Amino acid sequence: HQSSLLGRSVNSVVSTRSREPSGAVVPLPMSHQTSARSMQLGSVQDESFGESHNGPRQLSPLEPGAAIPVVCLHVEDDAMLQLTLGMRLFADQTRTSVVVASNGEEAIAEVERRATNGEPPIDLVLMDNQMPRMGGTEATARLRTLGFGGVIIGMTGDPSGSPDRIQFEKAGLTRCVDKTPQGLEVVEDEITRLLECNQRR
C-alpha cells in the first residue's frame, strides 16, 4: 500500500537537518538510492534497514541526563516509510525515543515487554493499518483491551470513509490521519504536546 507520501520525492517529505562539527546547520540529503548501511538516525547506525528482522529495532536510545523524550512505537511494515517517517518525526533524540515494529504482533509484544521489565512505557503509538500477520485495527483493539492508555494515532493510506478506515477508527484510536504532510504535522503537534507533559512531571 504505497501512500501519497511516496508520490513525492523523498527530498520534499523529509525535512530533518544534520549538524556539522562546526555547529552549522545543513540539510540532510536523501534519495531513493541511499544506502541503509551508511545512513544514521541520530547517533545510532541502523544496520538492518530494509532487511528482515525478528522484532522491534531500537533506533534512538535515551541519553543520560537528557530531557525526558516521548517514547514512541512506530508500527509500519513498509521499509521506505519506516525510513522517511522516522527521519521526519523521530530523528531528534531530545524529543523522542523510538522503537519500530513491522506488524501488530510485534507492537503488542513490545508494549507487554515494557510493562513487565520496568522500562519507560510507550507514550505514543503511530500505527499503520494494512500490515501482514496482524493489522492495525486488530492490534489497536488488543492494546486497548490490555489496558494501554497511551495515545494511538492511526496513519493510513485507507481512503476516508472506506470500511477499513472506519473499522480502524472505531478500534480505539485517539486519532486517525492520512499519510500526507498534513498528517505528519498532526503527529508532530502531538509529540510536542506529550513532550511538554513530560517536562511538567
Side-chain angles (χ1 to χ4, degrees):
H1 59 285
Q2 294 298 322
S3 70
S4 58
L5 277 179
L6 295 183
R8 305 171 59 183
S9 68
V10 177
N11 279 331
S12 66
V13 176
V14 179
S15 63
T16 305
R17 296 183 297 178
S18 173
R19 292 186 179 272
E20 293 181 327
S22 64
V25 178
V26 297
L28 178 65
M30 291 284 293
S31 70
H32 288 290
Q33 289 77 34
T34 301
S35 169
R37 298 191 180 278
S38 63
M39 185 76 187
Q40 289 192 355
L41 186 56
S43 62
V44 179
Q45 179 128 10
D46 179 8
E47 294 286 349
S48 61
F49 178 79
E51 301 171 3
S52 62
H53 60 282
N54 296 322
R57 292 179 285 110
Q58 188 75 33
L59 297 185
S60 54
L62 175 62
E63 297 180 3
I68 301 174
V70 178
V71 182
C72 301
L73 175 59
H74 185 199
V75 191
E76 170 63 63
D77 66 308
D78 187 295
M80 180 59 74
L81 289 179
Q82 286 178 3
L83 178 62
T84 57
L85 295 180
M87 291 301 301
R88 167 70 182 264
L89 297 171
F90 307 129
D92 185 349
Q93 296 184 48
T94 66
R95 286 173 55 84
T96 58
S97 173
V98 61
V99 176
V100 176
S102 293
N103 57 65
E105 288 183 357
E106 290 183 6
I108 291 170
E110 178 65 14
V111 171
E112 291 180 326
R113 185 184 69 79
R114 286 173 174 264
T116 58
N117 69 5
E119 288 187 47
I122 300 294
D123 296 310
L124 182 149
V125 178
L126 183 60
M127 182 78 75
D128 185 27
N129 191 18
Q130 307 296 340
M131 295 180 290
R133 298 178 64 178
M134 182 186 293
T137 299
E138 182 180 355
T140 299
R142 289 186 59 178
L143 285 173
R144 294 306 191 196
T145 299
L146 291 170
F148 179 76
V151 174
I152 305 178
I153 297 180
M155 177 168 271
T156 179
D158 296 330
S160 180
S162 66
D164 284 346
R165 181 156 178 159
I166 291 172
Q167 290 181 350
F168 192 24
E169 292 170 344
K170 291 181 177 180
L173 295 179
T174 305
R175 191 162 185 178
C176 189
V177 299
D178 296 317
K179 289 182 176 179
T180 62
Q182 291 74 25
L184 294 180
E185 290 176 2
V186 172
V187 179
E188 288 175 325
D189 289 345
E190 184 62 24
I191 290 173
T192 297
R193 186 188 72 81
L194 291 172
L195 186 64
E196 292 172 351
C197 290
N198 284 353
Q199 290 173 339
R200 290 196 295 266
R201 287 179 185 174

